[in-house]
Amino acid sequence: MGVPANGDEMPWVRKAGPGDEAVIARLVPAALTTSDPRYDAREFAEAMCAAHGEASVPHGTSRLLVAGQPGTLAPAGLVYFLPPPVRLVNAHADAGPSAQSRLAGQITEVELLAVDPDAQGTGLGTALLRAAEQVARDHGAQGVLLAKVAKNDFPVLRWWRHRGYTLAQPGQEVRLALGWATVRCDDGGTGHRIAVAPTHPDGRVQDTRSGLRVTAPPVTIGSRP
């Protein structure tokens, strides 16, 4: 496994793959804001590395990227992102499979983002987030990217805000106006804050009395790759 050619000064970012299991298994617990029974860190790392950073999930594909500092071989950070929660897509079952596929193709959720403590402040987290945004756009997600952040983790909240994301208050509804449908979501009663940003250059976020409204221009999207 060589160092990806990404310049001499910028962090490198690539898909996870065989050989990354130990680092990923160590970083996953740090990325979780609460104890989440869905994640066995070792099992998750082994499965995603065996699949070379991509795996089929309901309504699309999940992706795991890793990053490291220039001149290094081992990753020191990761980002895991995927289509929106199944409950959001299933809420539009009456619109039919085509509409559900379109919805899944316009929303991307960052579920895990973590950087080794020794590598924090070096730009790895930002590089991972920007790479995830670009991959989402490359695969047709010209809509919205969102993440859940622990409501009292103020350094992390500032980190998201400084990268152009708007943070909903705990329990505040977020309405995603996708041009052909409006999707409503919240923190699910977990006390998190949703960080949200449009992935389309013409998108915008408004803080209204009824909640955050994220507007993305309508686009034509088929099945998510």
Side-chain angles (χ1 to χ4, degrees), residues 113-128:
L113 177 60
V115 173
D116 269 334
D118 291 345
Q120 291 177 7
T122 63
L124 287 191
T126 299
L128 284 161

